[in-house]
Amino acid sequence: MLQLSAAIAGLVTGGAYALMGLSTLLTYRLVSVVNFAQAAVGAFGAFAMVILYEEGWPLVLAVPAGMIVGAALHCGLGAIMVRWFAESSEGVKAAVTIAVYTGLVAVGLRLFGAQHPHRFPSPFDDPAFTLGGVVVTWTAIVTMVLAVVFAAAPAFLLRRTKIGLLLRAQAERPTTAELIGVRVPRLSMIVWGVAGAASSLAIMIIAPQLASDFGSQAALITPALAAVLIGAFRSFPVTLLGGLALGVLQGLASTWQAVQQFRGVLPFVVILVVLVWTRRGDRWDEPA
């Protein structure tokens, strides 16, 4: 019973990992950037929401306002990429996002750190139903539904629509796409904005389950990257499953006394295992 309860609780965390991972994958698939600043941008949006909420804004207005803050901040990063790094390699673009991540964390800790504790609202904490004697909250259901929608929508968009074809073209050959009339900068800004808003929403959902400091929320990029690696930076459904599995694994680890204090390093272990597994052929195929 304890394990089942922990696994269901882990689905909430895993759903947030999946949402964050899917946002990261969306950015990578459509603008060819491995964005290490994704969670920090989302944390800015989430903290903007909670500050407005504490100022008396109703939640239905504070949430979209926070998402707009995340989208605007992400568009700012996107504008830098489009303006100065459009033709740079993926490594250079990733390095730029690491620098931006460091700057955002420094500013965020200054503005929203432990010196200014905030209590995030949790409107979905009410029980939805009982499964095997374990209460399932609306938070788990909402997180799962959002994660599934966010996995299915980009996959449908890319495969079945004309705009998806244009997005793939501008991601793979931005200069060529622009020469044939595709408005690459405008499409890129839309992608950056949507991914920033989605990241903010993901952190708003998971924030009540985390420490209320900016650094803990910005660090969600690690499990998000673990989920994206499981999906091989290609598959939205596998990234979704990877994020959920990681959350459930952490939930189960919390019930095992021997490893519960190490559950925070599980995303790093998963990243290491996936990297070793994906490179096994290159190593084993080397001549003796």
Side-chain angles (χ1 to χ4, degrees):
M1 181 65 71
L2 180 60
Q3 285 77 12
L4 177 60
S5 178
I8 292 176
L11 281 177
V12 179
T13 308
Y17 291 168
L19 276 173
M20 188 60 62
L22 291 165
S23 300
T24 306
L25 179 58
L26 181 69
T27 306
Y28 177 75
R29 286 288 303 275
L30 299 185
V31 293
S32 301
V33 176
V34 180
N35 186 9
F36 288 85
Q38 193 101 28
V41 169
F44 259 91
F47 272 91
M49 179 277 292
V50 77
I51 288 174
L52 292 175
Y53 181 69
E54 289 172 348
E55 291 294 325
W57 285 44
L59 199 57
V60 292
L61 295 180
V63 168
M67 293 172 67
I68 290 172
V69 170
L73 194 58
H74 216 219
C75 282
L77 175 57
I80 293 173
M81 290 296 180
V82 171
R83 178 68 178 81
W84 288 297
F85 298 98
E87 299 299 329
S88 300
S89 66
E90 291 184 5
V92 171
K93 292 177 181 176
V96 172
T97 68
I98 291 173
V100 172
Y101 169 80
T102 305
L104 289 177
V105 169
V107 174
L109 288 175
R110 180 70 177 174
L111 294 176
F112 315 116
Q115 297 87 353
H116 310 285
H118 298 277
R119 184 177 180 182
F120 282 83
S122 50
F124 304 117
D125 265 0
D126 293 336
F129 59 89
T130 302
L131 176 65
V134 177
V135 175
V136 179
T137 66
W138 282 108
T139 301
I141 296 174
V142 170
T143 305
M144 291 289 297
V145 170
L146 283 176
V148 171
V149 169
F150 210 74
F156 177 82
L157 178 74
L158 289 172
R159 294 178 182 175
R160 303 291 183 184
T161 67
K162 181 179 178 182
I163 186 102
L165 180 64
L166 296 177
L167 287 168
R168 280 188 292 161
Q170 69 97 19
E172 295 175 5
R173 296 285 189 275
T175 302
T176 305
E178 196 161 12
L179 288 173
I180 62 174
V182 178
R183 296 181 178 180
V184 173
R186 189 174 70 175
L187 279 177
S188 297
M189 286 299 100
I190 292 173
V191 172
W192 283 98
V194 170
S199 300
S200 300
L201 180 61
I203 291 188
M204 289 176 198
I205 294 171
I206 193 63
Q209 320 296 326
L210 299 175
S212 60
D213 66 284
F214 186 88
S216 297
Q217 298 182 14
L220 280 175
I221 189 60
T222 303
L225 288 175
V228 178
L229 272 173
I230 293 172
F233 277 86
R234 293 296 305 171
S235 172
F236 287 95
V238 178
T239 298
L240 167 64
L241 294 176
L244 293 176
L246 183 57
V248 171
L249 189 61
Q250 282 190 319
L252 292 174
S254 68
T255 66
W256 189 8
Q257 190 172 2
V259 300
Q260 61 182 197
Q261 60 181 325
F262 303 110
R263 64 183 186 279
V265 303
L266 279 174
F268 295 97
V269 174
V270 170
I271 288 174
L272 180 62
V273 170
V274 173
L275 288 176
V276 171
W277 177 256
T278 54
R279 304 301 298 177
R280 71 193 186 286
D282 296 343
R283 182 63 181 167
W284 293 347
D285 290 344
E286 286 182 358

